[in-house]
Amino acid sequence: MKKKRALISVYDKTGIVGFVQGLRDLGWEIVSTGGTARVLKDAGITVIPIEEVSGNPEAFGGRMKTISFNVESAILFDRENHFEEAEKLGIQPIDMVVCNLYPFVKTVESGASHQEIIENIDIGGPTMLRAAAKNYKYVWAICDPNDYDSVFMMLVHYKNDAVDLKERLAAKVFQHMLTYEGAISRYLAIHTGKARKLAKGENTYQSPTYLIPDGSDDPLGLDKFTVENGNPGYINMADLDRILEMLCLLHEALYIYSKGNKKFCIVVVCKHGNPCGIGVDLLPEEAINKALYGDPVAVMGGELICNFSIDEKLAKVLAKPSQGEIGRPRWILDMIIAPCFTDLARDILKGSLKRPRRLLSNSSLLNPTINPQKTFKRQVRSGILIQQAANFVLDLFDSKKVDKVIPNLAGNIIDYFIAWIAAWKSNSNTVALAKDGMLIGLGCSQPSRVEAVRLAINRAKAVGHNPKGSIFASD
């Protein structure tokens, strides 16, 4: 019976000598490359040079070492179904790949030249790791020195019968590849100018900040918006993502409600991720007024999005100052997003702030559709949270989707949709009040839902609304 073989090729050599010594003591043969082979030889470990397996010399300054038919076949072939074919081809199995990659991120962070950064894009390592991870039933795929001890203990005590651990390590490889290649994609997008450099980060010390497209063909992807005036910042774009989602959901829900017979004008205003104004009407100017004067103080400094074009008349409404809480006029909106702006409208809006007002356009807002994504991901420490994306559109008249008592509706049907979207898309715990086609009160981000109710009612009263008869919604 032939000895098992491990292919060792690591940039980070932490713990590698001890681990390989352990493999050697268990009777494994060691195949290695370049600098890793030198380190192992210096420690007295016999190494089979990679060229004896690949059949080719290391070449092109080390760019070509492990990528070959013989090496990848030795890792990838199915031990149950391809063994005879492998023997005919003279392929001896490689049963373990231990590899970590060139330090691309650290090289970028070091301020290295572009050419040096490109040289630190690893090709052979990812190829071997992917092959091993795909074939994890037979091959160990190890990309993290922190896993050496657990692998070695498993080899000692369970004689390689460790499919569960192999599967976990394989998943870790693909997660590592996702992070590694994501970093390369982001760097190249920035370097080639395909990334949009934003005005500032969430805080000044978090600049430079970029919007990096994911390459999708979604016409409402944030990279598809044209900057008409003023460069947006991180918070602007984060808020745009939130109000775009609310606009699309409201548009779809109202389309279902009217059976496509009415074109509703929708306006949503957001600040720091929460809606502070929503207005719906058949007339664009009325929709704007409802969104801005539902809570004229809360909308100050917010981002506004609408599903209709902005002309000179509407621009004058949007540019008008509103009375601040301390008795002084304050300009209302920091950013306005619309399908398009006329030249006169653009001139009116961009010149009405001490700093340039951000204006963004995207013609697809005339018919905004919900996000086509199937899953929702959130980056967390050392991982990613993932779940099915929520693309639910409220249909008040579908008994399969709503409580059977809801169809006994009273008041303005549109208020149900406004309260629904505001409560859903604000940070929990949230209570939203809607009346007369506008959002009139919002209590959000409260540990106590009772306090959220109190805030929503008090806020509505504070800006002159009577909450009696409004539609109440909570997440």
Side-chain angles (χ1 to χ4, degrees):
M1 182 177 178
K2 291 183 178 179
K3 292 183 177 181
K4 290 189 174 295
R5 277 188 169 182
L7 173 50
I8 316 293
S9 182
V10 293
Y11 183 89
D12 179 359
K13 297 175 177 58
T14 303
I16 194 62
V17 170
F19 180 62
V20 174
Q21 286 174 334
L23 292 178
R24 179 197 59 186
D25 293 344
L26 292 175
W28 285 62
E29 289 183 337
I30 307 301
V31 179
S32 192
T33 66
T36 305
R38 288 191 293 273
V39 168
L40 297 177
K41 288 177 183 177
D42 290 344
I45 298 170
T46 301
V47 170
I48 299 171
I50 189 65
E51 49 263 40
E52 289 189 18
V53 178
S54 68
N56 297 297
E58 293 189 25
F60 309 117
R63 285 191 171 198
M64 286 294 291
K65 294 190 290 284
T66 60
I67 298 177
S68 73
F69 177 84
N70 288 347
V71 172
E72 307 311 330
S73 297
I75 300 168
L76 196 53
F77 81 85
D78 184 321
R79 278 28 173 192
E80 295 177 25
N81 298 311
H82 302 151
F83 197 83
E84 290 185 5
E85 185 177 0
E87 283 194 324
K88 289 179 182 178
L89 293 169
I91 303 296
Q92 183 172 342
I94 290 175
D95 307 287
M96 177 184 292
V97 172
V98 183
C99 181
N100 50 65
L101 310 180
Y102 296 162
F104 180 83
V105 173
K106 288 184 178 179
T107 305
V108 173
E109 292 174 346
S110 73
S113 68
H114 177 64
Q115 185 56 41
E116 186 176 352
I117 290 169
I118 295 300
E119 288 301 318
N120 275 274
I121 297 176
D122 205 323
I123 303 300
T127 303
M128 291 189 298
L129 283 170
R130 282 193 178 91
K134 176 177 179 176
N135 210 22
Y136 70 84
K137 184 177 179 181
Y138 310 106
V139 183
W140 292 89
I142 306 169
C143 65
D144 185 351
N146 292 318
D147 293 319
Y148 294 164
D149 288 345
S150 58
V151 171
F152 185 72
M153 293 300 293
M154 189 65 69
L155 291 173
V156 169
H157 294 290
Y158 295 97
K159 308 298 183 185
N160 205 37
D161 183 17
V163 175
D164 288 347
L165 177 56
K166 285 180 175 179
E167 190 170 33
R168 291 198 298 273
L169 293 174
K172 190 172 187 176
V173 164
F174 286 114
Q175 289 165 1
H176 183 52
M177 292 300 106
L178 184 66
T179 302
Y180 188 79
E181 292 177 353
I184 296 170
S185 174
R186 289 191 295 274
Y187 170 77
L188 290 174
I190 292 169
H191 185 79
T192 59
K194 291 184 178 180
R196 178 184 295 170
K197 188 173 183 179
L198 303 179
K200 59 182 179 179
E202 186 170 7
N203 297 289
T204 54
Y205 62 83
Q206 291 174 286
S207 296
T209 306
Y210 296 89
L211 171 65
I212 299 175
D214 64 6
S216 74
D217 57 0
D218 180 1
L220 286 172
L222 298 199
D223 60 303
K224 308 299 193 307
F225 284 72
T226 300
V227 177
E228 304 273 359
N229 190 67
N231 188 21
Y234 177 92
I235 291 175
N236 298 128
M237 299 307 285
D239 281 354
L240 169 55
D241 187 58
R242 180 63 64 93
I243 56 179
L244 173 62
E245 183 180 20
M246 288 187 275
L247 178 77
C248 292
L249 286 164
L250 267 176
H251 174 86
E252 298 254 2
L254 291 168
Y255 183 87
I256 292 170
Y257 156 63
S258 69
K259 298 180 180 179
N261 294 323
K262 293 181 180 179
K263 170 64 175 177
F264 287 97
C265 298
I266 303 169
V267 179
V268 184
V269 187
C270 184
K271 274 199 320 193
H272 297 278
N274 291 309
C276 48
I278 299 176
V280 176
D281 201 276
L282 294 175
L283 300 174
E285 184 172 347
E286 289 304 310
I288 290 173
N289 284 326
K290 287 178 178 181
L292 296 183
Y293 293 104
D295 190 336
V297 176
V299 298
M300 292 179 183
E303 287 81 22
L304 178 147
I305 194 169
C306 62
N307 64 339
F308 48 85
S309 299
I310 304 298
D311 59 16
E312 179 183 2
K313 180 182 177 182
L314 297 178
K316 288 178 179 178
V317 176
L318 291 168
K320 186 170 61 175
S322 178
Q323 195 72 10
E325 286 182 304
I326 57 175
R328 294 184 304 208
R330 293 180 59 187
W331 297 107
I332 295 175
L333 301 166
D334 185 56
M335 185 166 77
I336 299 171
I337 309 103
C340 69
F341 301 86
T342 66
D343 291 341
L344 281 174
R346 191 183 304 108
D347 291 340
I348 291 168
L349 291 171
K350 72 182 184 181
S352 59
L353 283 173
K354 289 183 179 179
R355 66 175 184 276
R357 175 181 275 123
R358 284 103 173 183
L359 304 176
L360 275 67
S361 65
N362 185 322
S363 60
S364 294
L365 289 173
L366 290 169
N367 184 32
T369 54
I370 59 176
N371 193 334
Q373 69 179 5
K374 301 300 182 184
T375 57
F376 174 81
K377 302 175 184 177
R378 178 180 174 182
Q379 191 79 30
V380 294
R381 182 166 178 169
S382 299
I384 297 172
L385 292 175
I386 185 168
Q387 64 179 351
Q388 184 174 343
N391 285 330
F392 172 73
V393 176
L394 180 65
D395 184 350
L396 291 168
F397 305 99
D398 186 342
S399 60
K400 295 179 181 179
K401 294 182 179 179
V402 298
D403 192 292
K404 62 183 179 182
V405 303
I406 294 280
N408 300 318
L409 301 171
N412 187 348
I413 299 292
I414 293 172
D415 294 339
Y416 286 83
F417 294 110
I418 292 174
W420 158 69
I421 201 69
W424 180 17
K425 294 303 176 181
S426 300
N427 295 323
S428 188
N429 288 321
T430 288
V431 165
L433 302 177
K435 188 177 182 181
D436 299 328
M438 71 180 87
L439 180 67
I440 64 168
L442 187 73
C444 66
S445 303
Q446 298 303 307
S448 164
R449 199 174 302 276
V450 173
E451 183 62 23
V453 174
R454 186 179 294 113
L455 284 171
I457 293 173
N458 289 343
R459 192 63 202 158
K461 291 179 177 179
V463 294
H465 298 294
N466 181 1
K468 186 176 181 179
S470 62
I471 300 301
F472 173 106
S474 185
D475 60 323

